[in-house]
Amino acid sequence: MKQQYNIGIIGATGMVGQRFVTLLSEHPWYNIKVVAASPRSAGKKYRDAVGKKWAMNTEIPENVADMTVADATADVEKIAAEVDFVFCAVDMSKDEIKALEERYAKAECPVVSNNSAHRHTPDVPMIIPEINPHHIEIIPAQRKRLGTKRGFIAVKSNCSLQSYLPAMAVINMKYPIDRAIVTTYQAISGAGKTFETWPEMVDNLIPYIGGEEQKSEVEPNKVLGKIEGGEIVPSNELSIECQTYRVPVSDGHTAAIFFSFKEGVKKPSVEEIEKMWADYSGEPQKLDLPNAPKRFIHVYTEKDEPDMPQIKTAREIDGGMAISCGRLRESRQFDYKMVSMSHNTLRGAAGGAVLLAELLTAKGYMD
């Protein structure tokens, strides 16, 4: 592992790209070498390309503001030659994204993607670093398919999954879960919006987010799957049914979950589950990665804090990288019901991708 890695941000002017800029501008391992976006932004200074679209609560970092924006599609080989790897968060069609990310990988430039295009490619790992870090072991098989020595693609899961799947996965490691009903209440930043740009969301709720329900029902099984024969085979053990809502919240996705254990599994107590959450430590914590939360899952007990977790107080815990769980109690129709939440643009999007990159770096995949 080197002391410093030069990195590129592909799709740097969008909301997730902006979050990458704020997270990486002072990163101890990474130096932002390239910011890239669409042809309409290419050639401009970053501050001018973003302009009034800057949606972060802090100013544009000075070490990035005057960088000239590269063309994300026309300058692939040039960018690949200047950086050790790239983060990708572009707004394009899925076919275009798949092709673009493979171009970077085949140019021997690893790609850590926030996009959904490659989440179901069998040899592309989709990783929540604390839950399935071992899936990075599929990368040699992917490199063989791509014909690369360094280049590969790794992706993070959908942002809403981060709000509930980690809590369920930790339970599932010891007490296998059979089925779950999940309802997610998703912030407007998940749509790349603020209340200034989307005033119609004030005092409103939309009971539909295109494609989100399918992602919440399908993607968990890849995260919980196993490597066989050069691909990741999704699990078929857990059945999830989901509804999604867009709610008038700036940042933070909340999930209400009802779940039951497999037949024959001895039902753990509330206290046992809460202790499993509180005690759980994953690979990022063991490696002491820069963006790893000190405590992965923050627990609120139904007895002491029945009105928690709340978005305003919980979403920023450990730099927005912790998961918060509460309201765990018995259900009349399922075994248990609970609430879980996470910061969607930090843990769920750019922060989760940075943590994934840190895991890959620590394991030698960026060298």
Side-chain angles (χ1 to χ4, degrees):
M1 179 175 163
K2 301 191 298 185
Q3 288 190 329
Q4 281 284 311
Y5 295 78
N6 289 326
I7 62 99
I9 302 172
I10 312 303
T13 57
M15 183 172 284
V16 175
Q18 293 174 26
R19 182 67 78 179
F20 274 127
V21 168
T22 61
L23 288 173
L24 295 165
S25 63
E26 297 182 358
H27 194 281
W29 296 356
Y30 305 144
N31 169 53
I32 300 176
K33 182 74 172 177
V34 174
V35 288
S38 66
R40 64 178 177 272
S41 296
K44 298 178 182 178
K45 298 296 184 185
Y46 183 72
R47 69 168 81 245
D48 297 327
V50 174
K52 294 181 180 180
K53 295 185 297 181
W54 184 254
M56 302 295 103
N57 293 326
T58 57
E59 296 296 318
I60 299 175
E62 285 301 318
N63 61 338
V64 179
D66 290 325
M67 293 180 69
T68 300
V69 178
D71 189 318
T73 54
D75 296 338
V76 170
E77 287 71 25
K78 180 181 176 183
I79 293 169
E82 293 184 19
V83 302
D84 292 298
F85 67 93
V86 296
F87 293 94
C88 191
V90 294
D91 183 12
M92 302 166 69
S93 73
K94 284 194 176 183
D95 286 343
E96 289 173 326
I97 293 170
K98 289 181 78 169
L100 181 65
E101 291 181 344
E102 287 207 359
R103 280 183 64 195
Y104 277 97
K106 288 180 178 178
E108 299 294 359
C109 180
V111 178
V112 179
S113 179
N114 185 75
N115 303 303
S116 65
H118 273 292
R119 287 181 189 158
H120 300 295
T121 303
D123 60 9
V124 172
M126 180 171 66
I127 295 174
I128 299 175
E130 286 89 350
I131 301 302
N132 62 328
H134 56 287
H135 280 190
I136 64 175
E137 295 168 13
I138 196 68
I139 288 173
Q142 184 194 147
R143 283 173 169 163
K144 184 177 180 180
R145 174 178 65 84
L146 294 174
T148 60
K149 293 181 179 179
R150 286 191 72 247
F152 66 87
I153 302 162
V155 302
K156 50 159 288 301
S157 66
N158 180 261
C159 57
S160 66
L161 262 68
Q162 316 284 332
S163 65
Y164 66 88
L165 184 59
M168 293 177 64
V170 169
I171 300 169
N172 193 66
M173 290 174 185
K174 187 173 181 181
Y175 301 99
I177 297 172
D178 178 55
R179 59 193 177 97
I181 299 289
V182 177
T183 302
T184 59
Y185 304 87
Q186 301 184 203
I188 62 173
S189 57
K193 305 287 187 179
T194 64
F195 287 118
E196 288 72 26
T197 61
W198 201 6
E200 298 86 356
M201 272 307 301
V202 176
D203 194 32
N204 193 18
L205 181 151
I206 300 174
Y208 171 77
I209 307 173
E212 287 290 297
E213 290 169 358
Q214 182 184 22
K215 292 174 185 176
S216 287
E217 293 172 354
V218 174
E219 289 186 18
N221 285 314
K222 183 172 183 180
V223 173
L224 299 175
K226 57 185 178 181
I227 297 174
E228 287 183 357
E231 63 181 43
I232 298 168
V233 179
S235 169
N236 59 7
E237 298 295 313
L238 173 60
S239 175
I240 294 177
E241 189 166 352
C242 183
Q243 279 201 148
T244 60
Y245 294 83
R246 188 71 72 191
V247 295
V249 168
S250 58
D251 295 295
H253 290 350
T254 299
I257 306 115
F258 295 77
F259 65 94
S260 289
F261 298 105
K262 288 191 175 298
E263 186 176 349
V265 172
K266 182 182 177 182
K267 180 178 173 181
S269 68
V270 168
E271 292 75 20
E272 285 179 290
I273 293 174
E274 290 175 341
K275 189 175 189 305
M276 288 175 65
W277 286 338
D279 291 348
Y280 185 78
S281 181
E283 196 73 4
Q285 287 71 39
K286 295 171 186 174
L287 293 170
D288 195 25
L289 300 179
N291 275 277
K294 299 303 179 187
R295 175 174 287 180
F296 179 41
I297 299 179
H298 193 86
V299 182
Y300 298 94
T301 66
E302 175 74 0
K303 177 183 176 182
D304 297 327
E305 297 173 288
D307 60 343
M308 298 295 284
Q310 292 182 19
I311 289 286
K312 280 192 174 182
T313 53
R315 65 186 170 196
E316 300 290 348
I317 293 173
D318 264 348
M321 292 298 289
I323 310 296
S324 294
C325 297
R327 303 227 63 206
L328 178 65
R329 61 223 192 270
E330 292 193 350
S331 166
R332 290 195 299 272
Q333 297 185 46
F334 290 77
D335 285 331
Y336 281 113
K337 51 188 174 181
M338 58 173 283
V339 173
S340 185
M341 64 81 53
S342 65
H343 196 302
N344 60 299
T345 67
L346 287 170
R347 166 54 75 165
V354 172
L355 187 61
L356 171 54
E358 291 170 354
L359 174 67
L360 290 162
T361 302
K363 294 292 187 179
Y365 285 88
M366 299 307 192
D367 292 332

